[in-house]
Amino acid sequence: MEELKTELKQFLIDTLNIEDITVEDIKDDEPIFTEGLGLDSIDALELGVALKKKYGVKFSTENADNRAYFASVSTLADFIQKERSK
């Protein structure tokens, strides 16, 4: 799981072109949006599409759990791991 979290951190940086932040700067349980990395709803859409392409996971716009999946790197890693094991 730690390997997936590290991979996701780098994926966030690369996909969203986040400057001046390294993998080590991103905490596993830190919020990804607003006060955490400062990402917004446009970033969420871009990230969702990129995650679908890379990991084959799907997010439904009608799923209220999406906010929970994107809460932190840890919650996102948990979601991806569960989806991959289906």
Side-chain angles (χ1 to χ4, degrees):
M1 180 67 94
E2 291 306 312
E3 185 177 320
L4 178 57
K5 288 179 186 179
T6 301
E7 185 178 310
L8 280 171
K9 292 173 187 180
Q10 189 61 55
F11 185 75
L12 284 166
I13 293 167
D14 295 343
T15 301
L16 301 175
N17 299 313
I18 302 172
E19 297 179 1
D20 301 325
I21 291 182
T22 66
V23 169
E24 294 78 22
D25 294 331
I26 302 172
K27 307 297 181 242
D28 291 350
D29 297 315
E30 177 180 64
I32 295 174
F33 293 92
T34 59
E35 67 274 356
L37 293 177
L39 304 181
D40 59 24
S41 59
I42 302 298
D43 294 322
L45 292 172
E46 187 176 344
L47 184 58
V49 170
L51 287 166
K52 180 180 177 182
K53 287 180 183 177
K54 181 168 178 80
Y55 297 101
V57 295
K58 296 180 183 177
F59 300 95
S60 170
T61 57
E62 298 168 6
N63 189 342
D65 292 332
N66 284 344
R67 182 174 289 253
Y69 301 148
F70 284 92
S72 68
V73 170
S74 292
T75 58
L76 193 53
D78 287 341
F79 172 73
I80 290 170
Q81 190 170 33
K82 286 176 188 170
E83 288 297 304
R84 289 167 123 183
S85 65
K86 287 185 178 180

